[in-house]
Structure formats: C-alpha cells, structure tokens
Amino acid sequence: MFDSIAIVGATGAVGQLIRTMLEERDFPFEKITFLASKRSAGSKIKFKGKEHTVKELEPGAFKGIDLAIGSTPDPVAKDFVPWAKDAGCVVVDESGYWRMDPNVPLVVPEVNADAAFTHQGVIASPNCSTTQMVVAMKPLYDASRIRRVVVSTYQATSGAGVAGQRDLIAGSKAALEGKEHKYETFAHPIAFNLIPQIGSLKYKGYTSEEMKMVFETRKIFGDDEIQVCPTCVRVPVSNCHSESILVETERKITAEEARELFANAPGIKLIDDLANGKYPMPKDCDGDDATFVGRIREDLSCENGLAFWCVSDNLRKGAATNAVQIAELLVRAQAAVS
Ligand SMILES: NC(=O)c1ccc[n+]([C@@H]2O[C@H](COP(=O)([O-])OP(=O)(O)OC[C@H]3O[C@@H](n4cnc5c(N)ncnc54)[C@H](OP(=O)(O)O)[C@@H]3O)[C@@H](O)[C@H]2O)c1
C-alpha cells in the first residue's frame, strides 16, 4: 500500500473521475492530497465524506507523498514529474509528455501489464483514442499478429477537458437560439458539426492526435512493424469516443472467431446483433469502464481484414480507469513482496 497519495490536476475532467474511481474501487491509502493550479488552490473538494482543500502544485508539493496520479496539460507534467521523482514519489501520468520517453513504460493493463514493473519512477497512460483501440486489438493480436490498422475516430468533446464539455453545451444552446458562441477549445463550431482535426499538424498531413495513435500502439505492443493509418474527428457527443477499426491480420480471423475472442477478452464487452439493432453507442457506454465492441464484419476488400466498431468512455477507460488500474498493479506487486 502507498501511505500517502496525491491527485495532480484534481479539478479537471479526468482528475474528477480519478477521485470517483478511487472511491468506487476503495483504493488503499492513509492520506490523500489534491493538487491543481493556483486558480483552484484553496477551493474545496469532498472525498469519502470529508472536505479537503485543493493545494497549489509547486516544487515542494510532493514531500512525503509516495504515489501521484497526474492528469494535467503536457507542459505542467513536464515540470512536475521531475519534482515528484526527486521527492521519491512514483507518478502515473495521463498527459502526453512522457509517453514516448524510452525510459517510461506506456501501460494498458489488459495489454502490457508487465511493462509497469520496469518503471523508473514514472509510468505513462496512453492517449484515450489509443487505449480503447489497443484493448480491442489485443485478443486479435494474440490470435494472429496484426499487420495493419485503419482507424477513424469519432471523439467526444469531453476529450478536450471540462472546457470542451462546456463548449458543446453552450455552443449548442447558442446555435438553437440563433446566437454566436465564442468557443474556448475548438477552432470551429462543434455544435451540429464535425471537426476533422484533433491536435496540430504533425507529420505528412497527419495531426498530433493521429500520430499518437501510430506511435503509442507500436510501443504498447512492442511491435514497430504495425502499420496504423488514423483519421481523428471531433464530434458533437459529450462523452465516449467511438472508432471504426479495420485490422489486417497475418492469418484470416473469421467474424465468428473474432466474436468469441472479444467475448472472452478482459475489459471488453461485446454487443453485436445488427439484425436487432444492437451495437455499442456512446450514450449506453457512458459511465462504464469497459471497451465495447460490435458491428464485427469480415472485410469485403481484403482477404485477412476484419472490421468492427469500438466505443469506450474516454474519461474512464481512456484516462481515469486506466491510470487507477496501473496504480492497482503497483499496489498488488507491493503486497506480493511484503
Ligand atoms: N479528457 C480526456 O478524455 C483525456 C483522456 C486521456 C488523457 N487526457 C489527458 O489528461 C490531462 C488532463 O486532461 P483533462 O481533460 O482532465 O483537462 P482539464 O479538464 O482541462 O483539467 C486540467 C487539470 O490540470 C490542472 N492544471 C492546469 N494547469 C495547471 C498548472 N499550471 N499547474 C497545476 N495544475 C494545472 C487544472 O487545474 P485548474 O482547475 O486549477 O485549472 C485541472 O485540474 C491532459 O494531459 C489530457 O491530454 C485526457
């Protein structure tokens, strides 16, 4: 057990859910500290029936803290992770900053739990769009190595944090009333629209969000040969990312075999009954920790292709749940040696 833990970015969209997860899963600790920016310092948070005061994140904040779960913007994580490490605190980090550092394991417990135990003080949790995709890929990959993935995402506004959630509601209201809304997070109106850009231009016409899906997938599977072609799109859905995924495997996996593999895979819930109009939808997956899979079909254009639809709560499995699961791996490992 870690005696003293901290949530860094405790007031954010992911941070709020990490608090809920720790309560729901009865995560063991003696003392908890909530850290955020100067803006929130002094505000109150209710946790396990007790009121706590949010403290400002500053270099001395990690004294006496054993484990921190961080969900802050990348530049903040760049600064605070070394402060925590220097104080002897292990960090599970949600931001993008440390994910591709060769000394930092990038972990999804259903896929590469063992990598967590190679950590040197920091473990990264992947981007939300990558996490649900690799959970879904894992049973197929184990049955027959995946050579290629073509993925299109339909990403909820909560992926852009609390400000993204505010923008969808306020922007939709304004649009219905025929008024203008000044968007905080999105470069274009998200109400009654789709935005085929998440992140900035990164490489050969792909965005930073899309290149995260390429590099993070390879790192998590430890397979640099997986080819990934992503298109990331922001959609006017409040929570839960959806993905249309096409994988090309080394040997053919039939739709029937895939259904059985998905049905038996940890972390996956299968809803696949097109005839009766049953498939995963964001509204039904909101608040669930699973990765949902449905619409499983053999590719009509390629011998070893398999297409499916995948939905997951980006704030839960895409962020908070995955981070807390990583922390639980560390707790279990400690318990095993003590
Ligand atoms: N949303 C998702 O679906 C998702 C999924 C996976 C990963 N992530 C990653 O998780 C991180 C947080 O995302 P989010 O959606 O929760 O964002 P958010 O709602 O904007 O929350 C950001 C958090 O970071 C804190 N923060 C900001 N600037 C700070 C500073 N200078 N010093 C200390 N704390 C600061 C904020 O505190 P204040 O309230 O005081 O500003 C807030 O608690 C990001 O790196 C994001 O990429 C998000």
Coordinates of all heavy atoms in Angstrom, one line a residue, residues 160-200:
A160 N -11.6 17.0 -24.7 CA -10.9 18.3 -24.6 C -11.1 18.9 -23.2 O -11.0 20.2 -23.1 CB -11.4 19.3 -25.7
G161 N -11.4 18.1 -22.2 CA -11.4 18.6 -20.9 C -12.7 19.2 -20.5 O -13.7 19.3 -21.3
V162 N -12.8 19.8 -19.3 CA -14.0 20.5 -18.8 C -14.4 21.6 -19.8 O -15.6 21.9 -20.0 CB -13.9 21.0 -17.4 CG1 -14.0 19.9 -16.4 CG2 -12.7 21.8 -17.1
A163 N -13.4 22.3 -20.4 CA -13.8 23.4 -21.3 C -14.4 22.9 -22.5 O -15.3 23.5 -23.1 CB -12.5 24.2 -21.6
G164 N -14.0 21.7 -23.0 CA -14.6 21.1 -24.2 C -16.1 20.7 -23.9 O -17.0 20.9 -24.8
Q165 N -16.4 20.2 -22.7 CA -17.7 19.9 -22.3 C -18.6 21.1 -22.3 O -19.7 21.2 -22.8 CB -17.8 19.2 -21.0 CG -17.2 17.7 -21.0 CD -17.0 17.1 -19.7 OE1 -16.3 17.7 -18.8 NE2 -17.5 16.0 -19.4
R166 N -18.0 22.2 -21.7 CA -18.7 23.5 -21.6 C -19.1 24.0 -23.1 O -20.2 24.4 -23.3 CB -17.9 24.6 -21.0 CG -18.0 24.6 -19.5 CD -17.5 26.0 -18.9 NE -16.1 26.3 -19.3 CZ -15.0 26.0 -18.5 NH1 -15.2 25.4 -17.4 NH2 -13.8 26.3 -18.9
D167 N -18.1 23.9 -24.0 CA -18.3 24.4 -25.3 C -19.4 23.7 -26.0 O -20.2 24.3 -26.8 CB -17.0 24.1 -26.1 CG -16.1 25.4 -26.2 OD1 -16.6 26.5 -25.9 OD2 -14.9 25.2 -26.6
L168 N -19.6 22.4 -25.9 CA -20.6 21.6 -26.6 C -22.0 22.1 -26.1 O -22.9 22.4 -26.9 CB -20.5 20.1 -26.3 CG -21.7 19.3 -27.0 CD1 -21.6 19.4 -28.5 CD2 -21.6 17.8 -26.6
I169 N -22.2 22.3 -24.8 CA -23.5 22.7 -24.2 C -23.8 24.1 -24.6 O -24.8 24.4 -25.2 CB -23.5 22.5 -22.7 CG1 -23.1 21.1 -22.3 CG2 -24.8 23.0 -22.1 CD1 -24.1 20.1 -22.6
A170 N -22.8 25.0 -24.4 CA -23.1 26.4 -24.6 C -23.2 26.7 -26.1 O -24.0 27.5 -26.6 CB -21.9 27.3 -24.0
G171 N -22.4 26.0 -26.9 CA -22.4 26.2 -28.4 C -23.7 25.7 -29.0 O -24.3 26.3 -29.9
S172 N -24.2 24.6 -28.5 CA -25.5 24.0 -29.0 C -26.6 24.9 -28.6 O -27.5 25.2 -29.4 CB -25.7 22.6 -28.4 OG -24.6 21.8 -28.7
K173 N -26.6 25.4 -27.4 CA -27.7 26.3 -26.9 C -27.7 27.5 -27.8 O -28.8 28.0 -28.3 CB -27.4 26.8 -25.5 CG -28.2 25.9 -24.4 CD -28.0 26.6 -23.1 CE -28.7 25.8 -22.0 NZ -28.1 26.2 -20.7
A174 N -26.5 28.1 -28.0 CA -26.4 29.3 -28.8 C -26.9 29.1 -30.2 O -27.7 29.9 -30.8 CB -25.0 29.8 -28.8
A175 N -26.5 27.9 -30.8 CA -26.9 27.6 -32.2 C -28.4 27.5 -32.3 O -29.0 28.0 -33.2 CB -26.2 26.4 -32.6
L176 N -29.0 26.9 -31.3 CA -30.5 26.7 -31.3 C -31.2 28.0 -31.2 O -32.3 28.2 -31.7 CB -30.9 25.8 -30.2 CG -30.6 24.3 -30.4 CD1 -30.8 23.5 -29.1 CD2 -31.4 23.7 -31.5
E177 N -30.6 29.0 -30.4 CA -31.2 30.3 -30.3 C -30.8 31.3 -31.4 O -31.1 32.5 -31.3 CB -30.8 30.8 -28.9 CG -31.4 30.1 -27.7 CD -30.8 30.4 -26.4 OE1 -29.9 31.3 -26.3 OE2 -31.2 29.8 -25.4
G178 N -30.0 30.8 -32.3 CA -29.5 31.6 -33.4 C -28.5 32.6 -33.0 O -28.4 33.7 -33.7
K179 N -27.8 32.3 -31.9 CA -26.8 33.3 -31.4 C -25.4 32.8 -31.7 O -25.2 31.6 -32.0 CB -26.9 33.4 -29.9 CG -28.2 34.1 -29.5 CD -28.2 34.3 -28.0 CE -29.5 34.9 -27.5 NZ -29.8 34.5 -26.1
E180 N -24.4 33.6 -31.6 CA -23.0 33.3 -31.8 C -22.4 32.7 -30.4 O -22.9 33.2 -29.4 CB -22.2 34.5 -32.1 CG -22.3 35.0 -33.5 CD -21.7 34.1 -34.6 OE1 -20.5 33.8 -34.4 OE2 -22.4 33.8 -35.5
H181 N -21.5 31.8 -30.5 CA -20.8 31.3 -29.2 C -19.3 31.4 -29.5 O -18.8 31.0 -30.5 CB -21.2 29.9 -28.9 CG -20.4 29.3 -27.8 ND1 -20.5 29.7 -26.5 CD2 -19.4 28.3 -27.8 CE1 -19.6 29.0 -25.8 NE2 -19.0 28.2 -26.6
K182 N -18.6 32.0 -28.6 CA -17.2 32.1 -28.7 C -16.6 30.8 -28.1 O -16.6 30.7 -26.9 CB -16.7 33.4 -28.0 CG -15.2 33.7 -28.4 CD -14.8 35.0 -27.8 CE -13.4 35.4 -28.1 NZ -12.4 34.3 -28.1
Y183 N -16.1 29.9 -28.9 CA -15.6 28.6 -28.4 C -14.3 28.8 -27.7 O -13.4 29.5 -28.1 CB -15.4 27.6 -29.6 CG -16.8 27.1 -30.0 CD1 -17.5 27.7 -31.0 CD2 -17.3 26.0 -29.4 CE1 -18.8 27.2 -31.4 CE2 -18.5 25.4 -29.8 CZ -19.3 26.1 -30.8 OH -20.5 25.6 -31.1
E184 N -14.2 28.1 -26.5 CA -13.0 28.1 -25.7 C -11.9 27.2 -26.2 O -10.7 27.5 -26.2 CB -13.3 27.6 -24.3 CG -14.1 28.6 -23.4 CD -14.3 27.9 -22.0 OE1 -13.4 27.7 -21.3 OE2 -15.5 27.5 -21.8
T185 N -12.3 26.0 -26.7 CA -11.3 25.0 -27.0 C -11.3 24.6 -28.5 O -10.3 24.2 -29.0 CB -11.6 23.7 -26.3 OG1 -13.0 23.5 -26.2 CG2 -11.0 23.6 -24.9
F186 N -12.4 24.8 -29.2 CA -12.4 24.3 -30.6 C -12.2 25.5 -31.6 O -12.8 26.6 -31.4 CB -13.7 23.6 -30.9 CG -13.9 22.4 -29.9 CD1 -15.0 22.4 -29.0 CD2 -13.0 21.4 -29.8 CE1 -15.2 21.4 -28.1 CE2 -13.2 20.3 -28.9 CZ -14.2 20.3 -28.1
A187 N -11.5 25.2 -32.7 CA -11.2 26.2 -33.6 C -12.4 26.5 -34.5 O -12.4 27.5 -35.2 CB -10.0 25.8 -34.5
H188 N -13.4 25.5 -34.6 CA -14.6 25.7 -35.4 C -15.8 25.3 -34.5 O -15.6 24.6 -33.5 CB -14.5 24.7 -36.6 CG -13.3 24.9 -37.4 ND1 -13.2 25.9 -38.3 CD2 -12.1 24.2 -37.4 CE1 -12.0 25.8 -38.9 NE2 -11.3 24.8 -38.4
P189 N -17.0 25.7 -34.9 CA -18.1 25.3 -34.1 C -18.2 23.8 -34.0 O -18.1 23.2 -35.0 CB -19.3 25.9 -34.8 CG -18.7 27.0 -35.6 CD -17.4 26.6 -36.0
I190 N -18.5 23.3 -32.8 CA -18.7 21.8 -32.7 C -20.2 21.5 -32.7 O -20.5 20.4 -33.0 CB -17.9 21.3 -31.5 CG1 -17.9 19.7 -31.5 CG2 -18.5 21.8 -30.1 CD1 -17.2 19.1 -32.6
A191 N -21.0 22.5 -32.3 CA -22.5 22.2 -32.3 C -22.9 21.9 -33.7 O -22.6 22.7 -34.7 CB -23.2 23.4 -31.7
F192 N -23.6 20.8 -34.0 CA -24.2 20.5 -35.3 C -23.1 20.4 -36.4 O -23.3 20.8 -37.5 CB -25.3 21.4 -35.7 CG -26.4 21.5 -34.6 CD1 -26.4 22.6 -33.7 CD2 -27.3 20.5 -34.5 CE1 -27.4 22.6 -32.7 CE2 -28.3 20.6 -33.5 CZ -28.3 21.6 -32.6
N193 N -21.9 20.0 -36.0 CA -20.8 20.0 -36.9 C -19.9 18.8 -36.6 O -20.0 18.2 -35.5 CB -20.1 21.3 -36.8 CG -19.2 21.6 -37.9 OD1 -19.3 21.0 -39.0 ND2 -18.2 22.5 -37.8
L194 N -18.9 18.5 -37.4 CA -17.8 17.6 -37.2 C -16.5 18.3 -37.5 O -16.5 19.1 -38.4 CB -17.8 16.4 -38.1 CG -19.1 15.5 -38.1 CD1 -18.9 14.4 -39.2 CD2 -19.3 14.9 -36.8
I195 N -15.4 18.1 -36.7 CA -14.2 18.8 -37.0 C -13.1 17.7 -37.3 O -12.7 17.0 -36.3 CB -13.7 19.7 -35.8 CG1 -14.9 20.7 -35.4 CG2 -12.5 20.4 -36.1 CD1 -14.6 21.5 -34.2
P196 N -12.7 17.6 -38.5 CA -11.7 16.5 -38.8 C -10.2 16.9 -38.5 O -9.3 16.7 -39.3 CB -11.9 16.3 -40.3 CG -12.4 17.6 -40.8 CD -13.1 18.3 -39.7
Q197 N -10.1 17.5 -37.4 CA -8.7 17.8 -36.9 C -8.7 17.8 -35.4 O -9.5 18.5 -34.7 CB -8.3 19.2 -37.3 CG -6.9 19.6 -36.7 CD -6.4 21.0 -37.1 OE1 -7.0 21.7 -37.8 NE2 -5.2 21.3 -36.6
I198 N -7.9 16.9 -34.8 CA -7.6 17.0 -33.3 C -6.1 17.1 -33.2 O -5.4 16.2 -33.6 CB -8.2 15.7 -32.7 CG1 -9.7 15.6 -33.0 CG2 -8.0 15.8 -31.1 CD1 -10.4 14.4 -32.3
G199 N -5.7 18.1 -32.5 CA -4.3 18.4 -32.4 C -3.8 19.2 -33.6 O -4.6 19.7 -34.4
S200 N -2.5 19.4 -33.6 CA -1.9 20.2 -34.7 C -1.3 19.4 -35.8 O -1.1 18.2 -35.6 CB -0.8 21.1 -34.0 OG 0.1 20.3 -33.3

